[in-house]
Amino acid sequence: MTGVSGFVGSAVARAVAAAGYPLRGLARATSARANLADFPGELVEGDLRDPAAVATAMAGVRYLFHVAADYRIWAADPEEIIRNNRETTRNVMEAASAAQVERIVYTSSVATLLPREGRAADETRAAREDEVVGAYKRSKVVAERLVEAMVREQRLPAIIVNPSTPIGPCDVRPTPTGRIIVEAANGRMPAFVDSGLNLVHVDDVAAGHLRALERGRIGERYILGGQDISLKETLRTIADLAGRRPPLVRLPRAPLFPLAWANEQWARATGRDPFLTLDGLRMAKHAMFYSSAKAERELGHVARPYREAIADAIRWFRAAGAIR
């Protein structure tokens, strides 16, 4: 399994181990150790950019979860995100094919699917690289299409899962959505833009991965989502659970673009990730609403209420000292 030090990957590892499967995880020597402290299996070191290291780690593996990804909405060199996600996916899939792995669950994202105005999008809305905004989304489109091509041309036994917006415990970095929860719970988000997300508990995403392994159809993609929620309602729920006042001011996107540009210049100078980005504003033009009906029907996917997911995230961030 890859991505075991990350937010989603560590949750998948816990779910796989709890189901009784023997587990081997691959992580770089430089990976953050917080989610590896109690890793429930064999942990080996290696870099996904190194085909030889990946092939060594794959030896004797029956099933594979490829969860790892370069998950950054912004980078000083955007092409680095695309290269990382394309080449690491290629290395892992080629190694799995050579090792004759029986079944593969590849973790993609709803970033590869086009949103639909006024209603939830589904798995039929596959995007081309030139139809999505930002390097991360482009990288996930490229990587997903690579996996699909290998399924068609090389009979790669892969099932694709597309998580929506996971939230919950063990978001160490944190993810962009985790940062929103932290900032809002600390009272540092006085306003919002008109947008929306599909929120899902990370443990429900992890359970969906296991169901995909056991029940998914080769070559199919499955959205692992929860509930569609406006950003306004999300922030109101965070404020309620954190004992804060919710933001009441809705801002138009257009005046924020100069601020986002300035944030990115500051990030280039300091090396710290910007909170507001140009691509983030462009993405906010569309509510990212998605339907998990296919996963519910074919896999038995179940998602708990989004409020529980936000509560678990706040509880974990508070214990970690990120929320006062």
Side-chain angles (χ1 to χ4, degrees):
M1 178 178 167
T2 71
V4 291
S5 67
F7 177 43
V8 174
S10 63
V12 175
R14 293 190 297 271
V16 170
Y21 289 94
L23 181 62
R24 178 187 297 162
L26 177 64
R28 297 191 311 272
T30 56
S31 292
R33 312 314 284 184
N35 284 336
L36 298 178
D38 298 313
F39 184 72
E42 176 191 3
L43 191 62
V44 298
E45 289 186 358
D47 194 314
L48 293 179
R49 294 169 295 187
D50 179 358
V54 175
T56 299
M58 202 75 68
V61 167
R62 184 178 182 186
Y63 304 132
L64 168 68
F65 293 92
H66 178 39
V67 189
D70 186 342
Y71 182 22
R72 290 180 289 167
I73 301 301
W74 182 89
D77 176 13
E79 291 302 315
E80 181 182 35
I81 299 173
I82 297 170
R83 287 193 304 270
N84 283 343
N85 286 335
R86 179 187 62 229
E87 297 310 315
T88 56
T89 298
R90 189 192 310 279
N91 289 342
V92 170
M93 295 303 150
E94 288 180 350
S97 181
Q100 298 183 318
V101 171
E102 291 180 24
R103 283 173 75 83
I104 300 163
V105 177
Y106 166 63
T107 309
S108 185
S109 166
V110 291
T112 69
L113 305 171
L114 294 174
R116 179 175 279 157
E117 289 297 334
R119 54 190 291 208
D122 61 19
E123 291 86 351
T124 65
R125 301 278 295 173
R128 300 189 309 268
E129 184 183 355
D130 62 355
E131 291 181 305
V132 296
V133 174
Y136 175 71
K137 287 193 173 189
R138 286 166 52 209
S139 77
K140 295 304 286 185
V141 170
V142 168
E144 186 179 288
R145 301 296 164 263
L146 184 154
V147 172
E148 289 175 329
M150 292 184 70
V151 170
R152 289 193 309 270
E153 298 164 11
Q154 302 177 33
R155 296 187 177 181
L156 186 77
I159 300 110
I160 298 168
V161 293
N162 302 76
S164 57
T165 307
I167 56 175
C170 302
D171 190 357
V172 172
R173 192 175 179 182
T175 59
T177 314
R179 287 186 70 188
I180 290 174
I181 292 173
V182 169
E183 295 299 313
N186 281 319
R188 295 195 292 259
M189 286 191 68
F192 61 92
V193 295
D194 189 12
S195 190
L197 297 169
N198 182 284
L199 299 178
V200 59
H201 197 293
V202 69
D203 289 342
D204 295 334
V205 170
H209 277 69
L210 195 56
R211 291 188 178 102
L213 176 73
E214 296 170 344
R215 308 178 196 177
R217 290 184 288 142
I218 301 299
E220 293 292 319
R221 67 170 70 88
Y222 298 93
I223 294 172
L224 302 180
Q227 291 88 46
D228 293 330
I229 308 296
S230 70
L231 183 56
K232 178 182 179 180
E233 177 61 19
T234 297
L235 296 176
R236 189 199 68 76
T237 302
I238 295 168
D240 182 45
L241 290 169
R244 298 277 184 180
R245 286 189 174 185
L248 301 176
V249 179
R250 182 174 67 86
L251 297 175
R253 290 186 312 116
L256 295 177
F257 279 92
L259 181 59
W261 180 86
N263 264 253
E264 292 190 6
Q265 301 313 304
W266 175 84
R268 291 178 190 278
T270 63
R272 298 180 64 182
D273 290 343
F275 185 67
L276 182 65
T277 67
L278 294 170
D279 282 342
L281 280 177
R282 294 182 185 113
M283 292 177 200
K285 180 179 180 181
H286 303 284
M288 301 298 169
F289 291 164
Y290 296 92
S291 168
S292 299
K294 180 179 177 182
E296 292 166 5
R297 183 174 63 251
E298 295 191 19
L299 307 181
H301 174 63
V302 178
R304 71 199 73 184
Y306 76 93
R307 186 180 176 91
E308 292 182 22
I310 293 175
D312 277 358
I314 290 174
R315 192 177 301 114
W316 186 86
F317 281 125
R318 183 167 280 139
I323 294 176
R324 299 189 305 273

